[in-house]
Amino acid sequence: SGSITYSIRDTNIEGIDVHKDDFIAILDGKIVSSNKKRIDAVKGLLKAKDISNKDIVTIIYGDGVNQKEINEVVKYIEKNYSNLEVEVIEGNQEVYSYILVIE
């Protein structure tokens, strides 16, 4: 599983520069990307995980994510990872914009 949240300070973790208010992708407890745009953080998370042999991704989206953005995420996954079935759940969690469960 992975998640997208935001940074509260500038830092460098394992060679990844993270700036305050960036969106960070966390995969298996490690930061794998830091981006100004939330959608780019989702893309970074997916690129960091070998999902060629996976079947489904469940996207649980939180507060602040609008329908236009979630549609963009789904379209990106469907275009670039055609092997994955996409399921979307409105989670309304506050800290994590996205939680992705990849099975």
Side-chain angles (χ1 to χ4, degrees), residues 18-38:
V18 177
H19 302 284
K20 184 178 184 301
D21 299 324
D22 275 2
F23 292 98
I24 53 176
I26 303 168
L27 180 63
D28 300 326
K30 294 185 176 187
I31 295 176
V32 295
S33 75
S34 177
N35 304 87
K36 296 285 180 208
K37 293 182 179 180
R38 196 165 31 206

Side-chain angles (χ1 to χ4, degrees), residues 13-60:
I13 299 175
E14 296 183 15
I16 297 176
D17 287 323
V18 177
H19 302 284
K20 184 178 184 301
D21 299 324
D22 275 2
F23 292 98
I24 53 176
I26 303 168
L27 180 63
D28 300 326
K30 294 185 176 187
I31 295 176
V32 295
S33 75
S34 177
N35 304 87
K36 296 285 180 208
K37 293 182 179 180
R38 196 165 31 206
I39 184 75
D40 291 336
V42 173
K43 292 175 182 179
L45 178 89
L46 292 167
K47 288 177 185 174
K49 179 78 174 166
D50 178 16
I51 55 178
S52 60
N53 62 344
K54 304 300 181 187
D55 297 315
I56 186 169
V57 59
T58 302
I59 303 167
I60 305 165

